Amino acid sequence: MNDTDLAPAPQPADAALRRATETIRRLREELTRRSATGPIAVVGVGLRLAGGITDLESLWTALREGRNLVADMPIHRRWPFEDEWSRLPTMGSFIDDALHFDPEFFGISPRAAQAIDPQHRLLLETTWDAMAHAGLEPAGPHEEPIGTFVGITGRFDYADWSARHVDAHAALGNGHSFAAGRIAYTFGFTGPAIAFDTACSSSLVAIHHAIQSLRRGECAVAVAGGVNLVLAPNSTRLIDQTGTLAPDGLCKSFDARANGYVRGEGCATVVLKRLADAERDGDRILGVIHGSAVNQDGRSSGFTAPNARAQQRVIESALDDAGCSAADIGMVEAHGTGTSLGDPIEMSGIVAALGARNGGRALHVGTLKTNLGHLEAAAGVVGLVKALLCARERVVPPLVHFGTLNPRITLDGTDIRVSEQSARWSTDDSGPLAGVSAFGIIGTNAHVIVGPAPAQAADGAPNGRSGVTVARRARHRVVCVPAFLGEPPAPVPAAR
């Protein structure tokens, strides 16, 4: 026997190729597995709410101070339907300049802008603001696809304004699909562009699908949000006939006096990226979405009746998607409409999913509907923004209009806390994450799990992929309504 006999036999080239191919396959599977459930960073926010709220700071101030932003509809907002409004409930949270717009800035002719639903116009504005807040050039050029996901329900209010004069501009300005399509067209976004109408869960459903699109690699950045405006009396008349509006115009969520909700206006847009991408790009991260889920009530006790078991399941599914447990949740931003039927059902779902299985840790429950009323299609996204702020500040704002727990709600054996006072959210005795719920009257439920930003990514100015800080949009806005109606009355200055 010689040295040649002891040498290993030469490996065929195809065997080495097979090993390399197998290694690549395993790496791809691991990458797919991670991306399919990976966390999502929130890197920008655009806001328009009642009370002059246009940014995170003004929203947090209003929440921390427990402000009630519900008031009687301003006289100038009742035009041109003063007679009809005089016979309907007019309490709500209203954006004073909801009819104002700067068409030239967005490359839209004044005539076309007059026919475009003001909800679509608000989405254009908050998308610009959110992209700029993220340090991304809104109008591009965009090297990678950006997705557009919009929650929007009311399409008939503004149609009432133009009932006597419908033209091609109106045909392209009022359908739900045009809300998403116009954003994508205006800013050159080439990812998926989809409008969602699942009633009151619309914007949180939109965020869920934005998360899925990012994880699947359909887009590198996603813009998601929702909008709600009360523009004509017919929709309020129909809601009032269901008996779900609070006679006193107050949303008293989880309180013994709960007897309905009050309508609210708002628009919010968030810019989302895969967390790994945001960290790679040096983005300022406002918070992290760890998981989300959507489901349906199916056959419940009635078509519009909520289903506690379905609400429990959607929370549990979101926990699974986030890879966390009930003990990790320290706060729930509840749907909490303040109805005598809905509140106890929702709380029973929270107790079953979280309260009885969180190891005795404190679980704070609140809802901003007591501050702003029910924002309907925009409720979910604004609730998510609130939860991100609470996770950042480690404070749970007070539940306005709360005094005595609804006697139909049982919290025995739990450490669920519902309070009219603000509370410190200590991670020593409570989970670090927050859950956000939104339930549609049609039975479509959504839940999202969020948490604070990684410490190293929460401070400083936004960088964005382009490495620049974008100036905020200058506001040169004018009243933009159908010309044949004339000019609406000017807003009355608030009393000092």
Side-chain angles (χ1 to χ4, degrees):
M1 180 179 295
N2 55 37
D3 292 344
T4 303
D5 296 327
L6 297 175
Q11 294 290 323
D14 61 343
L17 180 60
R18 282 197 299 272
R19 288 198 306 273
T21 301
E22 178 62 21
T23 299
I24 292 172
R25 184 189 65 80
R26 289 198 305 269
L27 291 172
R28 283 179 173 171
E29 287 178 351
E30 176 66 12
L31 181 62
T32 299
R33 185 188 66 79
R34 291 186 179 183
S35 63
T37 58
I40 302 297
V42 181
V43 297
V45 176
L47 278 174
R48 291 287 301 284
L49 298 169
I53 294 173
T54 59
D55 53 34
L56 296 177
E57 290 70 27
S58 54
L59 174 60
W60 182 245
T61 298
L63 294 173
R64 187 187 67 244
E65 296 178 354
R67 292 182 189 170
N68 173 24
L69 297 174
V70 171
D72 201 16
M73 179 183 288
I75 296 298
H76 73 280
R77 285 296 307 275
R78 304 185 192 197
W79 177 89
F81 306 100
E82 292 100 331
D83 185 56
E84 293 96 324
W85 280 123
S86 68
R87 298 187 294 272
L88 290 170
T90 53
M91 293 294 288
S93 67
F94 299 100
I95 300 173
D96 282 343
D97 57 351
L99 302 178
H100 289 65
F101 186 59
D102 183 357
E104 183 178 350
F105 181 86
F106 292 99
I108 300 172
S109 72
R111 181 179 175 186
Q114 291 171 346
I116 295 172
D117 189 327
Q119 295 181 123
H120 300 200
R121 301 182 328 214
L122 274 176
L123 285 166
L124 284 173
E125 293 177 335
T126 58
T127 297
W128 176 280
D129 292 346
M131 289 287 285
H133 189 228
L136 298 170
E137 290 286 357
H142 306 295
E143 297 178 0
E144 297 178 298
I146 297 176
T148 309
F149 303 85
V150 172
I152 182 170
T153 58
R155 62 174 294 182
F156 301 111
D157 271 21
Y158 198 58
D160 288 349
W161 290 61
S162 301
R164 293 184 285 120
H165 182 77
V166 178
D167 58 13
H169 292 303
L172 297 176
N174 290 275
H176 291 341
S177 60
F178 296 109
R182 191 176 296 278
I183 291 171
Y185 169 79
T186 300
F187 301 122
F189 297 166
T190 58
I194 309 171
F196 296 86
D197 181 357
T198 59
C200 308
S201 60
S202 295
S203 59
L204 209 60
V205 169
I207 289 170
H208 168 77
H209 284 280
I211 292 166
Q212 300 305 312
S213 186
L214 284 165
R215 288 173 170 175
R216 288 194 298 266
E218 294 174 342
C219 55
V221 177
V223 172
V227 64
N228 192 62
L229 289 178
V230 182
L231 295 169
N234 279 338
S235 58
T236 297
R237 179 181 296 108
L238 293 174
I239 294 172
D240 187 42
Q241 289 172 357
T242 68
T244 55
L245 293 181
D248 58 1
L250 300 176
C251 189
K252 302 171 287 295
S253 304
F254 305 114
D255 190 83
R257 300 168 298 137
N259 58 354
Y261 70 88
V262 57
R263 302 189 74 189
E265 295 184 334
C267 184
T269 304
V270 294
V271 178
L272 308 176
K273 297 173 73 171
R274 292 178 287 271
L275 178 60
D277 293 348
E279 291 177 325
R280 176 200 64 201
D281 297 338
D283 290 322
R284 177 188 58 191
I285 298 173
L286 304 171
V288 175
I289 298 175
H290 293 273
S292 66
V294 168
N295 74 358
Q296 233 284 337
D297 284 345
R299 183 177 289 278
S300 58
S301 60
F303 177 54
T304 63
N307 184 327
R309 179 67 181 121
Q311 293 179 8
Q312 174 188 345
R313 286 198 303 267
V314 79
I315 296 173
E316 293 169 343
S317 296
L319 290 173
D320 289 343
D321 187 56
C324 62
S325 70
D328 295 312
I329 307 301
M331 171 193 162
V332 172
E333 173 61 16
H335 187 61
T337 52
T339 59
S340 57
L341 173 66
D343 283 0
I345 289 176
E346 177 174 11
M347 191 63 82
S348 68
I350 293 172
V351 169
L354 301 172
R357 294 187 289 164
N358 69 344
R361 310 186 81 191
L363 177 63
H364 303 276
V365 176
T367 174
L368 55 67
K369 289 181 178 65
T370 61
N371 304 91
L372 288 160
H374 192 349
L375 302 182
E376 299 171 9
V381 62
V382 180
L384 179 138
V385 173
K386 174 194 170 181
L388 291 173
L389 290 170
C390 292
R392 182 188 73 182
E393 302 294 333
R394 289 299 172 204
V395 172
V396 179
L399 190 66
V400 185
H401 313 310
F402 181 81
T404 303
L405 187 68
N406 188 323
R408 297 181 181 179
I409 295 175
T410 300
L411 300 181
D412 296 341
T414 75
D415 199 13
I416 291 177
R417 302 177 184 181
V418 183
S419 176
E420 73 277 19
Q421 301 295 325
S422 63
R424 294 297 304 174
W425 177 1
S426 171
T427 55
D428 293 334
D429 63 356
S430 186
L433 305 179
V436 183
S437 290
F439 308 136
I441 194 172
I442 63 165
T444 298
N445 309 307
H447 193 80
V448 175
I449 306 294
V450 304
Q456 69 275 15
D459 300 320
N463 295 320
R465 182 175 298 277
S466 62
V468 300
T469 299
V470 183
R472 286 183 64 85
R473 172 178 53 86
R475 292 183 172 87
H476 302 289
R477 304 167 76 241
V478 297
V479 175
C480 207
V481 296
F484 66 87
L485 291 173
E487 286 289 323
V492 177
R496 291 185 178 276

